[in-house]
Structure formats: structure tokens, C-alpha cells
Amino acid sequence: DQPAVDPVVAETAEDIATMEIRGAATIADAAADALATQADRTDAADPAAFRDELRAAAKVLYETRPTAVSLPNALRYVLRGMAGDTVSELRASTIARAEEFRTELEQAQDQLGKVGANRLRDGDVVMTHCHSTDALSCIEAALDAGKHVEAIVKETRPRKQGHITARQLREWGVPVTLIVDNAARRYLDDADHVLVGADSIAADGGVINKIGTSGLAVNARERGVPVMVAAQTIKLHPDTMTGHTVAIEMRDESEVLPDAERADVTGERSDDEGLVVENPAFDVTPPRYVDAIVTERGQFPPESIVTLMRDLFGETTGEPWEP
Ligand code: RUB
């Protein structure tokens, strides 16, 4: 018998898969919250059944999107906090652990924002890619410190998360220039920083983030614009310490070529097998193109991030639901 997974968990998983809930930190927060709901609404008859239920829920959440390591890191954090000899003790400890995770996530984001803000001077222009709450936290902290900041916001095809960034920045009163991705190199001449988030950071300092980040970083280097990655330590990918690579999500081709536009490409040959549409959601920026990784524990050159990773995740192995 498969353990019962609460409908709220299934719904959260669906929202993550369809990107209703998106961005590495937000996904981690929603996953921890879903596990708390599973614990809260359990009808497990005994402790073993409770643990099985929570593990099953974690698996459903895990199987949504493969690239942001904040998701398995969140699941692992909550599951490892399950403690107690009765269902009610297990329930209470799991809920408390999920709450602790969510609070720490928020605090880490505030803390890294202050670190990142120190890199921004009054009057600086920041170029962004995609929508990252960690990156925005740096701008928010700079504004709180009374600095004037302007932004050049890349649209970020195909999902246009740049719109979310632009909207947030405008709500804070930041002057925004919205550009198509292809205009980035031209506008780098006007930028003092490239500021992006991360879905995962590898042990060698490679940064996995929204597709297009690596090209932007290479162009920024050529233009002499420093690249800053804002990433709380929940984005560090422990498996990469033992040689594993980070899976890059391939999303549906309809995001690139919607059905309604397909005939523009295929003409009459709607079943043209010679046409391939690829839609990788993320890419890897090699560490040499990254100037600083800003975390809640301070800023690091990408080459030294492995030290922090070992300190925080040294003992971490296996799937989140493995004891
Ligand atoms: C989002 C993305 C963001 C990181 C960091 O991709 O690449 O830069 O997740 O975001 P998608 P945050 O839209 O495909 O989820 O700093 O909020 O964790």
C-alpha cells in the first residue's frame, strides 16, 4: 500500500511543476510548508506509518523540478527533524522543524541582502536576469541604506520572469530599463554590476541559474562589469562534492514555440520531424566568470565556496528521504 499523500502536497507539487510556484527559495519554502501540512493532517496509525507518509510526501515534492537544490535541501532538513516515539510527538517536531526552516530561510535572505548591499554604491546601475528573491534582497538592503540604485532588467525568455523583477523594483521606486535578452551586451556599458541568483552552486564554484546567465557573465567579463551571485547557503549542492553533476531541467517545447505559432515555422508540414525545439531552463556559469558569491555567511570567491559547503553539508549524502 502506498502511504496517503495529502491533497495539499499534491497541489503544491503541481504548482512547482507548472511554475505557479517558482524560484529556488520560494520552492524550498513551499515544500517545507507542504511537509508541515502533511504532518498536521496525518491519520497515521503509528510512528512507522507517519514516517512513511512524510517520506512519500517528500518524494512527490522532489520529483517536480530537478535543478534547484534548495528543494532536496529543504526536504532533508525537515525530514531529519522528525523526532519522537508517538505520532503526536512526531507531528509536533516535524511542524516545528518546518517552521524553523522557513524562518531561517527568510533570515538568511535578509542577512545576505545586507552583505550584497555593501557591494553596491550610491548611484550604481545593476543588470538583472530572471527573478531572484535573493538578488532582490541585495537591492532592497541598498535602498534601505539610503542608496540610489537603478536597474536594467533582462526580459528573460521564454517565461519572462524579468517582468516580475521589474514590477518589484518599480514598487520600490527603482528606475527600471526593461530590455530583451539580446540587448544585454549593448547595455552592459551602462551597468556597474550584473546581479543574479542561483538554483544550485557546485563544489567547483560553478553557478547554475536561469538559462542565459552564463552568456551574460561572459559578456560582462569582456565589458569589465563584475558579476555578483546572491545565493543563500541552501543553494549549495552537496552531491557535487562527490563528483555528481547538477541535472539541468529541460522544459516543454511549447514554452518556446506555442502550438498557435507552430505553423509559422513548419508551414504546411505540421508533422515535420526535422524540426527540433529545445528548452533548457538553466545553464552553468564557470567560476572564472563570477566575481563574488554573496551568502548569509558573507561573500566568497567562487573557488572557495567548497570550504563553506564542506562545513555545512559535509556529512550529507543520499536522497532526502533516506534516514
Ligand atoms: C528561477 C531562477 C532564479 C533562482 C534564484 O528560475 O533561475 O534566478 O531560482 O531565485 P525559474 P531565488 O523561474 O525557472 O524557477 O533567489 O528567488 O531563490
Side-chain angles (χ1 to χ4, degrees):
D1 262 8
Q2 287 298 313
V5 169
D6 195 274
V8 168
V9 172
E11 215 171 276
T12 302
E14 177 69 12
D15 285 351
I16 294 171
T18 58
M19 291 176 62
E20 199 64 43
I21 295 171
R22 51 147 296 281
T26 308
I27 289 170
D29 183 66
D33 193 29
L35 287 184
T37 304
Q38 179 75 41
D40 190 35
R41 311 219 298 207
T42 185
D43 48 19
D46 55 55
F50 179 91
R51 289 176 186 276
D52 283 350
E53 256 190 27
L54 265 286
R55 288 194 194 111
K59 256 188 200 167
V60 168
L61 293 161
Y62 177 76
E63 275 155 13
T64 50
R65 295 184 77 189
T67 303
V69 74
S70 51
L71 175 57
N73 282 347
L75 299 172
R76 190 181 290 112
Y77 187 97
V78 176
L79 291 192
R80 302 237 159 130
M82 281 193 292
D85 299 325
T86 64
V87 169
S88 83
E89 282 170 15
L90 283 163
R91 179 198 283 124
S93 63
T94 306
I95 293 172
R97 180 80 161 181
E99 268 166 20
E100 180 184 291
F101 175 82
R102 300 181 72 200
T103 306
E104 280 178 12
L105 195 71
E106 209 181 307
Q107 285 170 351
Q109 190 163 81
D110 286 349
Q111 189 54 35
L112 84 79
K114 291 188 187 118
V115 177
N118 288 334
R119 295 180 61 89
L120 306 179
R121 293 157 306 178
D122 190 29
D124 275 355
V125 177
V126 173
M127 184 179 287
T128 66
H129 183 57
C130 197
H131 167 260
S132 155
T133 54
D134 281 353
L136 283 172
S137 179
C138 300
I139 298 180
E140 189 178 24
L143 298 172
D144 286 347
K147 295 174 192 173
H148 177 81
V149 177
E150 300 194 7
I152 300 167
V153 173
K154 290 179 76 233
E155 182 181 45
T156 317
R157 279 272 297 155
R159 303 280 304 217
K160 296 188 181 158
Q161 291 92 329
H163 290 188
I164 308 170
T165 300
R167 180 174 174 162
Q168 176 64 79
L169 289 170
R170 286 304 304 134
E171 275 172 21
W172 290 338
V174 172
V176 166
T177 304
L178 182 69
I179 59 170
V180 296
D181 296 301
N182 291 336
R185 185 162 176 273
R186 176 186 168 107
Y187 282 87
L188 275 168
D189 288 338
D190 301 332
D192 301 295
H193 307 266
V194 165
L195 171 59
V196 294
D199 287 83
S200 283
I201 294 185
D204 69 351
V207 171
I208 295 87
N209 190 48
K210 180 54 54 197
I211 189 80
T213 303
S214 66
L216 175 62
V218 171
N219 279 333
R221 172 57 50 83
E222 187 254 346
R223 282 290 188 246
V225 182
V227 175
M228 157 160 132
V229 175
Q232 40 184 308
T233 54
I234 192 86
K235 317 287 180 65
L236 301 180
H237 203 309
D239 295 349
T240 60
M241 286 189 288
T242 49
H244 292 276
T245 53
V246 178
I248 301 289
E249 176 184 15
M250 300 299 286
R251 293 193 62 84
D252 198 88
E253 61 180 67
S254 63
E255 292 184 346
V256 175
L257 188 61
D259 287 343
E261 291 172 24
R262 210 173 165 84
D264 298 348
V265 181
T266 61
E268 300 294 297
R269 298 182 301 169
S270 55
D271 58 349
D272 185 357
E273 286 183 3
L275 173 69
V276 176
V277 180
E278 298 247 317
N279 185 17
F282 302 98
D283 64 19
V284 185
T285 303
R288 64 182 176 280
Y289 297 109
V290 175
D291 292 87
I293 298 177
V294 170
T295 79
E296 74 277 16
R297 300 201 174 219
Q299 67 167 353
F300 294 80
E303 293 80 6
S304 75
I305 203 76
V306 66
T307 315
L308 182 64
M309 203 180 284
R310 239 182 251 126
D311 284 353
L312 297 175
F313 294 96
E315 304 301 311
T316 307
T317 50
E319 305 290 12
W321 44 85
E322 285 169 4

